[in-house]
Amino acid sequence: MLTAEEKHKIDHEISLVPSPKNACIEALKIVQQSHGWVSDESLQDVADYVGMSPAELDSVATFYNLIFRRPVGRHVILVCDSISCWVMGYESIRDQLYQKLNIKYGQTTEDGRFTILPNCCLGTCDRAPALMIDNDLYRDLTVEQLDEILEKYT
């Protein structure tokens, strides 16, 4: 069930576009902001609210890689694996994260602190390799920087 606050925020987004369906991504982001991810029940509620079928909305949610359809950690690490990041050695960054956090792509640390996910592009090819934690972008990364970066998210 959408909360009154979620409905209010979604209504605001709907007011900015020609049809309620056009606000579906923003509505999903609002629900995710409240709950950390978008459950099947929440997806159904949003679909009903904006006038879409659950299947239509799920296709949007699963296409948009910043909508999480299963629980994630308090901090989501998006590791860019674009061709630019690959050429600049993103694999060493990824492997160090795997070792340091004892998880791989799609997994969450036992304490619920971090989830690591691949990302096909963070839009900073000229400063590769890159990763993003929550809304913080880190560019020109080296393995040596990871400890200091992760410490910010305790």
Side-chain angles (χ1 to χ4, degrees):
M1 180 69 73
L2 295 172
T3 67
E5 182 180 350
E6 290 167 341
K7 287 179 181 178
H8 177 73
K9 289 178 180 179
I10 293 169
D11 287 340
H12 171 73
E13 294 301 326
I14 289 172
S15 76
L16 302 174
V17 293
S19 114
K21 289 181 181 183
N22 297 123
C24 68
I25 292 174
E26 293 306 315
L28 290 168
K29 288 162 76 175
I30 288 164
V31 168
Q32 180 169 286
Q33 189 175 37
S34 296
H35 304 281
W37 65 293
V38 178
S39 68
D40 290 343
E41 295 79 17
S42 294
L43 184 111
Q44 174 71 54
D45 292 343
V46 171
D48 291 344
Y49 203 77
V50 300
M52 297 174 76
S53 73
E56 280 180 300
L57 187 57
D58 190 49
S59 69
V60 172
T62 55
F63 176 79
Y64 188 61
N65 65 355
L66 296 179
I67 297 295
F68 308 124
R69 290 286 286 125
R70 58 186 187 158
V72 293
R74 290 187 311 276
H75 305 288
V76 176
I77 302 172
L78 300 174
V79 179
C80 184
D81 61 3
S82 71
I83 188 69
S84 296
C85 286
W86 178 74
V87 166
M88 297 304 290
Y90 95 93
E91 290 166 318
S92 63
I93 303 293
R94 179 203 61 205
D95 293 346
Q96 181 68 16
L97 285 169
Y98 284 178
Q99 181 181 18
K100 186 129 197 75
L101 301 175
N102 198 31
I103 58 172
K104 296 190 184 274
Y105 281 153
Q107 297 178 334
T108 300
T109 55
E110 285 186 22
D111 63 2
R113 185 172 163 202
F114 292 110
T115 298
I116 302 175
L117 298 172
N119 190 282
C120 62
C121 184
L122 291 175
T124 185
C125 295
D126 61 326
R127 306 278 304 274
L131 65 77
M132 181 178 268
I133 302 178
D134 302 334
N135 292 317
D136 303 325
L137 180 63
Y138 297 95
R139 307 180 302 180
D140 297 317
L141 282 173
T142 64
V143 170
E144 294 77 25
Q145 295 171 305
L146 289 177
D147 285 341
E148 184 179 333
I149 290 170
L150 293 174
E151 273 302 308
K152 296 177 186 177
Y153 301 92
T154 55

